[in-house]
Amino acid sequence: MNVGEWLQKQVDSWGVRLSDQQLKQFHQYYELLIEWNRVMNLTGITEEKEVYVKHFYDSLTLARVLPVNSLQSMIDVGTGAGFPGIPLKIAFPHLQVVLLDSLKKRVGFLEEVCQELGLTEVKCIHGRAEEFAHKKEFRQSFDLATARAVAKLNVLSEYCLPFVKVNGWFIAMKGMEISEEVTEAKPALHKLGKVSMEKVKFSLPEEMGERHLLVMKKRDNSPKQYPRKAGMPTKQPIQ
């Protein structure tokens, strides 16, 4: 069984069907990732099966917890090499996707991936959440915001929730230990939109690690002052 067939078998039980064309796009994505990774730091994971598990499969786990087919738009904040945004766009071509990253070189990589894979309705934006979340076209305009970044939840929520529509979703993708940061984030989650949360724990295949999806639904508008200027959310998290 090749890695594409393996991926299809894994996501089949979630109701995700990948065509031959979509599996080809995942393979192209992998090849571009490895090619660009030789000249810039995109990922420390380069072995093919490991990329498919830790990047592609991991990104698609959002389909286990959300009705992605009924969503129209998503923003991936601090997308890096495009996870989870690009795998979700490949699997769910109807999605209108914004990939936001603060490093211009990475945005260049993302633009080439979208061009080579023939992905449409994807905006690759060089910028910071602190700035773009205040722009009218982005503020509270997405059904879903995602982040797989390493920042703590109280910081991530300030970056991401202002992008989310009322009754939209924010999913933070985390590793094993989350209890402390979830507790610390409760004041921020309430202040930024009276957010409710469900914690979903799962193991990656091939014994490649434990993960959590923090699935949050936004119930109210985010106050206009958030997110604050660069550096403030980290230095002085919302209490």
Side-chain angles (χ1 to χ4, degrees):
M1 185 187 300
N2 66 37
V3 286
E5 292 168 341
W6 174 88
L7 184 63
Q8 174 59 80
K9 187 178 179 184
Q10 294 296 319
V11 302
D12 202 49
S13 62
W14 314 339
V16 178
R17 302 284 182 268
L18 300 172
S19 66
D20 289 344
Q21 172 64 18
Q22 287 166 308
L23 293 176
K24 182 183 174 185
Q25 287 174 318
F26 275 112
H27 181 66
Q28 287 176 287
Y29 187 15
Y30 169 72
E31 290 193 322
L32 285 165
L33 181 69
I34 298 309
E35 181 186 327
W36 277 67
N37 204 54
R38 294 190 184 103
V39 293
M40 61 182 288
N41 182 28
L42 289 168
T43 177
I45 299 164
T46 55
E47 194 274 320
E48 189 174 25
K49 184 64 171 287
E50 204 172 352
V51 168
Y52 268 72
V53 174
K54 292 186 175 179
H55 288 327
F56 298 168
Y57 173 96
D58 189 41
S59 295
L60 295 178
T61 56
L62 274 70
R64 294 173 62 172
V65 297
L66 276 188
V68 182
N69 279 317
S70 67
L71 305 179
Q72 292 301 314
S73 60
M74 70 165 283
I75 183 166
D76 186 4
V77 178
T79 185
F83 309 117
I86 289 180
L88 287 167
K89 175 64 181 179
I90 293 172
F92 300 94
H94 75 281
L95 282 175
Q96 297 167 9
V97 176
V98 171
L99 304 172
L100 179 66
D101 200 83
S102 61
L103 191 66
K104 196 168 178 57
K105 282 183 182 178
R106 280 198 293 255
V107 174
F109 164 72
L110 298 169
E111 288 172 339
E112 175 154 327
V113 169
C114 292
Q115 186 175 339
E116 290 293 317
L117 274 56
L119 301 178
T120 58
E121 293 193 289
V122 182
K123 289 183 181 176
C124 305
I125 295 177
H126 172 231
R128 301 186 69 92
E130 301 96 320
E131 177 189 350
F132 277 83
H134 287 287
K135 292 181 182 285
K136 190 176 179 182
E137 64 183 297
F138 294 100
R139 189 167 186 87
Q140 299 199 145
S141 60
F142 295 92
D143 297 320
L144 169 66
T146 63
R148 208 170 72 144
V150 294
K152 283 190 169 186
L153 183 59
N154 53 8
V155 176
L156 272 185
S157 58
E158 185 170 347
Y159 291 148
C160 295
L161 281 167
F163 286 111
V164 179
K165 294 175 180 176
V166 174
N167 293 319
W169 304 90
F170 166 40
I171 294 192
M173 306 177 74
K174 292 284 184 180
M176 271 185 73
E177 292 303 320
I178 58 160
S179 53
E180 187 179 331
E181 66 175 287
V182 167
T183 301
E184 288 176 352
K186 283 180 179 176
L189 295 174
H190 181 76
K191 197 169 281 189
L192 290 162
K194 295 185 174 63
V195 171
S196 61
M197 182 196 295
E198 179 188 2
K199 298 186 281 288
V200 180
K201 183 181 179 181
F202 64 95
S203 300
L204 292 174
E206 316 288 325
E207 298 185 343
M208 288 195 188
E210 302 289 321
R211 293 285 190 272
H212 280 90
L213 294 177
L214 303 181
V215 185
M216 291 163 271
K217 188 158 193 181
K218 183 174 174 179
R219 308 283 184 185
D220 200 0
N221 292 304
S222 298
K224 288 180 181 177
Q225 68 267 34
Y226 299 112
R228 294 165 292 167
K229 289 180 181 176
M232 287 292 288
T234 307
K235 288 177 190 168
Q236 297 177 13
I238 296 171
Q239 299 295 316

